[in-house]
Amino acid sequence: MGGTRNGPAVRRRKLGEELRSLRLGAGLTSREAARLVGWHQSKVSRIETGRSGVTHADVVRLLDAYGVGDRRLRSVLEALAGAADRGGTGWWRAYRGVLPPQYRDFISLEAEACGARTLETSVVPGLLQTPEYARAVTRAALEGLPDSTVDALVEVRMARQEVLSGAAPLRLEAVLDEAVLRRQVGGPRVMGAQLRALAEAAALPHVRLQVLPFTMGGYVGLSGSFVIFSFPNISDLDVVVLDHMTRSLYLERSEDLEAYGAAFRTMQAHALTPEDSLDLIAGIDDGA
């Protein structure tokens, strides 16, 4: 698949681009920047082109040299450096023994994003799952796991949902295939509670939930789910994530971002309105 990278490679390139922009904004050449932080010029160049990894400490030194004081911007850039996975304060670090590296990377991006647009064709988005539904999905998707591992994965799923609360919650736009609502994951009781939880989440001002009904027929995103993350204060940083449950592919090329962004807008336009979507969810919950 053209333009795919693993998460850390995407982050290196995006981080390098932003650091270069900040350096230029500070009126510094790469040689001058290197002199300020005590490095060779080639290290600055490798970081800016994404050819070299960069540590949390490196980012802090560069941001200090460039006079960057915006705390939110600094936090995002440190996350792009993978600081949370290499000794930072991200809560998911406690689950290193359970979570694959790419899933940890996905969570760190999600934690720093200001917006997420997601298409789901088979299951409820992780950020909107109830604990019982999350447990049923995990057992179905990853058979043979010990109870302790399942418990840990469900805890992670619930902890991820904290991005939807707080002073600056993630703006979530979700388009769900009707199949997501009708698939009896965990049985009628679990699914009924999940449908009601979806309705409650949809009432939040920063959540927009729409359903693609069966009557629509085929559509552009039918082949698979995806998430598009957007970030604050960073230019050209949107990232598309595919197959993020156990293995993630990241699309970063401008043409990929444009294609997925356009596809998502098309699906929103053809989906039921948020109000009609809630009516459909209620009808399914009532057994219609």
Side-chain angles (χ1 to χ4, degrees):
M1 183 179 298
T4 60
R5 300 274 200 284
N6 59 35
V10 173
R11 298 192 338 183
R12 282 197 304 270
R13 190 185 74 80
K14 296 292 188 180
L15 177 60
E17 291 175 355
E18 188 62 23
L19 289 172
R20 180 177 183 275
S21 177
L22 290 171
R23 173 178 61 76
L24 294 174
L28 297 170
T29 66
S30 59
R31 185 181 300 277
E32 290 169 336
R35 187 182 305 117
L36 283 175
V37 296
W39 298 343
H40 192 280
Q41 180 183 4
S42 62
K43 179 173 180 176
V44 174
S45 297
R46 289 197 305 272
I47 288 173
E48 291 184 353
T49 57
R51 289 179 293 141
S52 175
V54 57
T55 67
H56 173 250
D58 289 341
V59 170
V60 169
R61 291 176 71 179
L62 289 173
L63 295 180
D64 287 345
Y66 302 159
V68 178
D70 186 319
R71 290 186 179 182
R72 179 62 173 167
L73 176 58
R74 293 178 71 104
S75 176
V76 172
L77 293 176
E78 289 169 18
L80 288 175
D85 279 352
R86 292 194 292 272
T89 58
W91 58 263
W92 50 90
R93 188 170 183 270
Y95 296 90
R96 288 175 65 93
V98 176
L99 303 179
Q102 287 187 323
Y103 189 21
R104 296 199 304 270
D105 193 70
F106 176 87
I107 295 172
S108 68
L109 289 176
E110 181 180 72
E112 292 299 335
C114 64
R117 289 166 284 169
T118 181
L119 167 72
E120 287 291 352
T121 60
S122 57
V123 298
V124 170
L127 293 180
L128 301 178
Q129 292 178 5
T130 65
E132 294 78 13
Y133 184 97
R135 187 176 303 280
V137 166
T138 300
R139 287 198 178 282
L142 302 171
E143 294 182 342
L145 291 180
D147 289 344
S148 59
T149 301
V150 173
D151 290 343
L153 291 173
V154 172
E155 288 178 10
V156 168
R157 191 69 52 87
M158 296 304 103
R160 283 175 50 200
Q161 296 178 5
E162 292 182 8
V163 299
L164 293 177
S165 60
L170 177 81
R171 175 169 176 76
L172 177 64
E173 299 178 68
V175 176
L176 312 184
D177 190 289
E178 185 175 342
V180 172
L181 308 177
R182 295 193 179 277
R183 180 169 289 106
Q184 291 288 312
V185 174
R189 183 189 63 81
V190 169
M191 198 62 207
Q194 177 62 76
L195 292 174
R196 292 186 289 276
L198 277 177
E200 292 176 4
L204 296 172
H206 50 281
V207 175
R208 180 182 177 88
L209 181 64
Q210 293 178 262
V211 178
L212 283 165
F214 286 150
T215 53
M216 180 184 176
Y219 57 88
V220 68
L222 189 59
S223 60
S225 304
F226 62 84
V227 180
I228 307 173
F229 284 127
S230 299
F231 297 84
N233 302 324
I234 303 281
S235 59
D236 187 32
L237 186 57
D238 284 9
V239 175
V240 178
V241 188
L242 309 177
D243 303 324
H244 56 270
M245 186 170 184
T246 58
R247 179 173 177 267
S248 299
L249 294 177
Y250 293 69
L251 303 181
E252 55 159 323
R253 299 185 309 177
S254 60
E255 53 264 46
D256 292 324
L257 296 172
E258 290 170 5
Y260 276 86
F264 190 80
R265 289 191 296 272
T266 297
M267 286 184 286
Q268 281 188 312
H270 287 87
L272 299 176
T273 66
E275 294 76 18
D276 289 343
S277 296
L278 283 177
D279 287 343
L280 178 60
I281 292 172
I284 295 174
D285 186 30
D286 289 339

